[in-house]
């Protein structure tokens, strides 16, 4: 009789374990939904998400908002594990730097006072030293080839890259503004237009997107264009684990205000604008990718 009772007890334990396991991994996993919240809570995504941080695409704000709200975000502009305090320092020191373009790297933390960037501008060397093994979302401002190295470091885990695509002309003007360069419209000759574009787009930025991304095994490329960035951040909230304490995000400017009235291309005619677009697509891979991706099924459903 004791043996029967003990056997029945063991069977009950096994049954309960099976039921809990089935609940724990009972989450939607298909092309129509990326929800990772199961019956008993959050379930880690099967892929690692990578943010291709192209300059002047609200990448700093995207990285910061994600690090504020969700766990295991690892970015050049901030990590989840300490971004609450980074954000508090931004609030505290913003009054001291009213006349500068950005307070990034200027708040007083151990890294910035040691000349090592800052907790909001983390050098790639330090990111590599920390490692990416526990990251669910990675955001970097590095050449495309760097992602291949990360793929090898992470053992070939599936990755999904996200690229923010802006209107090419508006994006170009933001870069001109950032570099304090004036785009001139004195000739419609393609060589002249290219020379004006080159003033505003530096070579390092151009390397952030490249063919190397398409050659990484088990990796896919997705695109989006959504303002404000909170739409994309909310989308990722269906995938990433929410932080216990999130705080109120303090926006940090990374550019001085633009004045479209001082940008000649908006009044230069459609033909001139089309020539600028053709130059951008011909010389910078990101614009060709975005034109194709935004018209395809690889555009994120924000």
């Amino acid at each position: 009789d004791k043996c029967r009772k003990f056997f029945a007890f063991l069977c009950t334990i096994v049954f309960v374990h099976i039921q809990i396991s089935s609940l724990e991994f009972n989450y939607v996993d298909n092309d129509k939904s990326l929800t990772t919240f199961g019956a008993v809570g959050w379930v880690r995504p099967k892929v690692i998400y990578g943010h291709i941080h192209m300059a002047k695409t609200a990448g700093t704000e995207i990285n910061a908002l994600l690090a504020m709200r969700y766990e295991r975000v690892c970015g050049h502009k901030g990590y989840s594990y300490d971004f609450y305090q980074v954000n508090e320092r931004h609030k505290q020191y913003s009054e001291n730097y009213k006349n500068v373009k950005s307070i990034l790297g200027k708040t007083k933390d151990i890294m910035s006072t040691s000349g090592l960037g800052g907790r909001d501008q983390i050098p790639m060397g330090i990111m590599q030293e920390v490692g990416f093994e526990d990251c669910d979302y990675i955001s970097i401002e590095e050449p495309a080839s760097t992602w291949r190295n990360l793929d090898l470091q992470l053992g070939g885990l599936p990755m999904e890259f996200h690229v923010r695509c802006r209107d090419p002309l508006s994006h170009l003007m933001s870069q001109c503004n950032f570099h304090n360069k004036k785009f001139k419209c004195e000739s419609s000759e393609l060589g002249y237009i290219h020379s004006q574009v080159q003033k505003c787009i530096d070579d390092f930025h151009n390397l952030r997107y490249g063919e190397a991304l398409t050659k990484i095994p088990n990796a896919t490329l997705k695109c989006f264009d959504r303002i404000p960035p909170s739409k994309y951040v909310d989308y990722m909230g269906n995938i990433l684990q929410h932080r216990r304490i999130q705080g109120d995000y303090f926006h940090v400017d990374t550019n001085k205000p633009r004045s479209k009235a001082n940008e000649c291309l908006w009044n230069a005619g459609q033909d001139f604008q089309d020539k600028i677009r053709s130059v951008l697509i011909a010389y910078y891979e990101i614009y060709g990718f975005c034109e194709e991706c935004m018209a395809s099924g690889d555009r994120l459903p924000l």
Side-chain angles (χ1 to χ4, degrees):
D1 186 58
K2 289 183 178 180
C3 289
R4 284 196 301 272
K5 289 182 178 179
F6 181 71
F7 181 74
F9 175 71
L10 287 178
C11 289
T12 302
I13 292 176
V14 171
F15 176 78
V16 171
H17 176 73
I18 291 173
Q19 291 301 310
I20 291 176
S21 297
S22 65
L23 286 172
E24 186 172 0
F25 295 99
N26 179 27
Y27 67 96
V28 179
D29 183 24
N30 54 52
D31 292 337
K32 296 181 181 179
S33 176
L34 290 172
T35 302
T36 51
F37 292 90
V40 294
W42 177 82
V43 179
R44 194 161 200 168
K46 295 181 179 180
V47 304
I48 295 175
Y49 294 88
H51 172 219
I52 312 300
H53 185 166
M54 304 301 294
K56 313 324 302 173
T57 59
T60 296
E61 184 164 352
I62 288 171
N63 184 167
L65 282 168
L66 289 171
M68 276 287 292
R69 295 187 187 180
Y70 311 123
E71 299 285 6
R72 287 174 291 282
V73 173
C74 308
H76 175 60
K77 294 298 174 62
Y79 278 67
S80 298
Y81 65 79
D82 71 336
F83 203 83
Y84 183 93
Q85 292 300 328
V86 171
N87 190 63
E88 291 300 304
R89 286 192 293 274
H90 285 167
K91 295 177 184 178
Q92 178 184 353
Y93 287 98
S94 62
E95 289 298 315
N96 300 333
Y97 292 98
K98 287 184 176 180
N99 298 319
V100 300
K101 183 165 64 176
S102 175
I103 64 172
L104 290 179
K106 296 181 175 65
T107 56
K108 301 299 181 182
D109 56 48
I110 293 175
M111 284 181 63
S112 63
T113 55
S114 301
L116 297 174
R119 295 306 308 164
D120 53 10
Q121 280 188 324
I122 305 168
M124 190 62 188
I126 292 179
M127 295 181 74
Q128 288 280 14
E129 186 177 75
V130 172
F132 299 91
E133 290 76 11
D134 197 43
C135 303
D136 290 333
Y137 188 100
I138 301 170
S139 174
I140 58 174
E141 300 173 301
E142 294 292 322
S145 57
T146 304
W147 289 103
R148 177 54 178 157
N149 296 332
L150 293 184
D151 173 63
L152 294 172
Q153 183 178 333
L154 295 169
L157 288 171
M159 301 185 78
E160 182 176 298
F161 299 124
H162 292 174
V163 182
R164 161 92 195 282
C165 292
R166 288 185 62 179
D167 170 72
L169 299 186
S170 182
H171 189 212
L172 174 63
M173 290 298 98
S174 287
Q175 293 175 87
C176 291
N177 184 51
F178 178 76
H179 292 293
N180 199 28
K181 301 293 185 181
K182 186 173 180 63
F183 187 94
K184 298 180 180 180
C185 306
E186 296 175 356
S187 171
S188 60
E189 195 270 326
L190 290 177
Y192 172 82
I193 293 176
H194 185 209
S195 70
Q196 294 301 303
V197 169
Q198 283 182 304
K199 294 193 305 185
C200 301
I201 303 180
D202 60 60
D203 291 337
F204 181 74
H205 168 266
N206 192 36
L207 293 173
R208 296 184 192 179
Y209 176 86
E211 189 179 356
L213 293 171
T214 66
K215 295 183 177 180
I216 298 176
N218 299 319
T220 56
L221 272 164
K222 306 287 185 179
C223 57
F224 67 98
D225 180 16
R226 207 59 155 148
I227 290 296
S230 57
K231 294 289 186 181
Y232 171 73
V233 174
D234 291 343
Y235 171 83
M236 292 307 301
N238 295 319
I239 303 168
L240 302 174
Q241 183 181 21
H242 292 228
R243 294 185 58 176
R244 177 181 298 163
I245 300 175
Q246 297 184 356
D248 296 320
Y249 173 66
F250 181 81
H251 173 76
V252 174
D253 290 324
T254 60
N255 226 4
K256 63 183 181 181
R258 268 178 61 198
S259 174
K260 292 187 70 171
N262 296 326
E263 297 169 352
C264 63
L265 82 173
W266 305 115
N267 297 315
Q270 188 64 48
D271 183 63
F272 188 82
Q273 293 175 7
D274 289 343
K275 286 184 177 181
I276 298 176
R277 288 191 177 92
S278 68
V279 167
L280 290 171
I281 291 173
Y283 289 96
Y284 305 97
E285 290 183 80
I286 182 63
Y287 297 106
F289 163 76
C290 282
E291 183 176 61
E292 182 177 337
C293 182
M294 291 296 288
S296 75
D298 289 326
R299 180 175 180 170
L300 293 176
L302 304 187

